[in-house]
Amino acid sequence: MSATIKDIVKDTGLSPATISKYLNGKKIAPENKMAIEASIKKLGYIPNRSAQRLRSKKSNTITILLPSFSDYFWGSITTYIEEYMQKHNYSTIVMAYNPSKTDQSETYQQLLSIQTEGCIMVDENIEKSNLIQLMQEANIPCIFLDQILKTCTLDSVTSNNYESAYEMTLYLIQHGHKRIGVIGGPADSYTAMERIRGFRQACLEHGISEDHQIVYNGTYNAQSGLQLFQKMMELPERPTAVFSLNYYYIMACIQLLHKYDLRIPDDLSLVTFDDDEIFSAIHPPITVMLQDFPALGKEAGRLLLKRMRGDWEDFPQVSYVKAQFIERDSVKDIS
Amino acid sequence: MSATIKDIVKDTGLSPATISKYLNGKKIAPENKMAIEASIKKLGYIPNRSAQRLRSKKSNTITILLPSFSDYFWGSITTYIEEYMQKHNYSTIVMAYNPSKTDQSETYQQLLSIQTEGCIMVDENIEKSNLIQLMQEANIPCIFLDQILKTCTLDSVTSNNYESAYEMTLYLIQHGHKRIGVIGGPADSYTAMERIRGFRQACLEHGISEDHQIVYNGTYNAQSGLQLFQKMMELPERPTAVFSLNYYYIMACIQLLHKYDLRIPDDLSLVTFDDDEIFSAIHPPITVMLQDFPALGKEAGRLLLKRMRGDWEDFPQVSYVKAQFIERDSVKDIS
DNA sequence: CTGAAAGCGCTTACAG
DNA sequence: CTGAAAGCGCTTACAG
């Protein structure tokens, strides 16, 4: 059986209270600290989390609520949140739920039964359900990732969508593009609209008229991306550059290059939000705006921890995390 | 504060022991059962997991060990495992670790500290480390998903790779293909080799000579898939059909169709293991062999639960889960 | 800074 | 089938 505090007590001659204090980072005499550390190492002592949680009435658990485990975006960010929380002695439970239900009482009950102390959410559809209200009534802090909700007041962590779309558009304009297509997200998505706003602002500042800003909105899936790109390529006057606002769309665009016999970048310049291994492997490699997943995860964790400590200063806060521009070879200078 | 057993005691007049028995599915008098159920509902009682775990000395937690959260394959299967375990009152912790280290003591320590009772693993590289040995010494059951290990004796759950590759190859042969390319996985991967074995067996049975079986092995990434497909397309005599053994390769193949000006299925027939939304959205939609993720997850959970109950009958067991053939339009009948 | 005592909310033998 | 008692491994006031 593994060692308990009692074993450390016997080994060091100190009281359980002192050892508990050491474990919880409180001040104890240096010589006792050393003795405890040596004893812990010797006995291979690991604190029993269940006992800690029961006694302290804290679960030290947070939950990441995902609409799906298989999503490109959220799968990886989960790692970074978990890593950050672990450093702060918190467990993370990743939970998939069905975002289409408006009654999320069941999800709420599950969150209660694992005694979650905080929650990180990523699906804006949750706004249409009763979950956020239930959480707020129960005083469980929630952080929203990626989106900013319209009808709820909540802390959010998101990429600097506006600025980075602006930056990418500027890059296209500086390469002589004056007729630019955007394959954009749903019109009711905050993130998508911020990116489009950044795009339009850059166009506006550089004299690209609205009819040369070809912005199509769709839903977040490959099917939609295929349709929009197709529609765009069949325009009497095609754009010289296409800016995909996410991973699903760029994949769809690449699939269709063949159909329209388009060479990148000679026939069409192509850039996108999000990156993937395949974008740098193919020829030509695609220029991208990469969201900083480690930083997004860390910031969400930091903000959640702050709220769980009871610090509601500056609530509600929106943290913007800078995305990274990676230039590769998918844009032709046509100026 | 939420209700405890004491509240149920006061409300029903029964003893905590009886209520505990009810909670744990033991036999109690029907009228008491009804009273307890009514009381639980009335008070909104949720058992305190930490107390249960501390007292019963069981964590009721299993761990899924992933090399990465963002992997196409494992992301989604996690949901199904979690769902199954939840039904059996187990929590699931998904943990990402670095599979390249041979010393996994740190991972092991983490598993101990969360008191995991069982573990589901999916990365064969773990075989090169000390983790499995540490787990076996600690008597913590492990189940391997997807692969069958060569140097360790362990339960495994995997798709019927041999049969399904055989089936897909047969489909190509029946459509008149006599020269078939395979973009295959690493030569040291059990799964990849099983698929190749199934392919070769079907070829053998239908008189396709070895020099018409163009099998290339690579590593699991887009870069490798691109290289192999390229090499295959530059062959003096191209295959008439290409069978991709996984998701990464088929994506790479599709990217390259343009370069070689290939129309599917007229110039080349193309089939693959694994499915994705985009494969049915593009034209033509791709014929695939879809692994049954829900069944794989459920079977892994079932087998792990059995081992955790101490039932080691039939150890080590290999469970094969049938993959599903989905015919679409990427294969031309050239007979 | 340290330690004796109490107790978190359950489950587990055990006796009936 | 039920209940009284003990105790899982910690942390928390509290007194010193």
Side-chain angles (χ1 to χ4, degrees), chain A residues 15 18 21 27-29 32 55 57:
Chain A
S15 77
T18 303
K21 269 157 209 147
K27 268 220 133 126
I28 65 168
N32 291 338
R55 185 51 238 253
K57 298 220 172 202

Side-chain angles (χ1 to χ4, degrees), chain B residues 25-46:
Chain B
K26 310 248 166 79
K27 267 217 132 116
I28 64 168
E31 68 268 28
N32 291 338
K33 187 172 169 181
M34 284 176 62
I36 293 171
E37 279 168 354
S39 181
I40 284 175
K41 197 161 183 183
K42 189 171 88 186
L43 303 177
Y45 169 71
I46 299 164

Side-chain angles (χ1 to χ4, degrees), chain A residues 106-217:
Chain A
E106 204 182 313
T107 306
Y108 176 68
Q109 283 303 319
Q110 282 181 37
L111 290 171
L112 285 190
S113 82
I114 58 176
Q115 297 179 68
T116 201
E117 291 179 31
C119 196
I120 295 176
M121 303 170 172
V122 300
D123 186 275
E124 55 189 333
N125 288 308
I126 201 67
E127 189 175 18
K128 296 170 193 152
S129 81
N130 56 350
L131 184 60
I132 292 173
Q133 202 196 328
L134 289 168
M135 296 297 276
Q136 289 187 328
E137 282 167 11
N139 257 315
I140 302 171
C142 298
I143 305 286
F144 227 84
L145 248 177
D146 190 43
Q147 300 287 336
I148 295 177
L149 296 180
K150 282 178 277 299
T151 61
C152 308
T153 306
L154 219 55
D155 294 305
S156 288
V157 175
T158 176
S159 289
N160 63 339
N161 295 290
Y162 172 82
E163 286 81 2
S164 49
Y166 180 95
E167 183 185 348
M168 185 62 102
T169 308
L170 204 59
Y171 174 80
L172 292 174
I173 293 170
Q174 284 166 348
H175 282 72
H177 295 274
K178 297 187 160 57
R179 189 173 175 76
I180 305 173
V182 172
I183 315 280
D188 61 355
S189 153
Y190 165 82
T191 305
M193 293 328 280
E194 278 294 284
R195 292 177 186 178
I196 290 170
R197 199 166 65 81
F199 167 75
R200 291 206 189 276
Q201 181 63 27
C203 286
L204 178 70
E205 289 178 12
H206 294 81
I208 295 180
S209 65
E210 289 222 4
D211 54 322
H212 284 193
Q213 303 169 19
I214 306 153
V215 177
Y216 292 163
N217 291 314

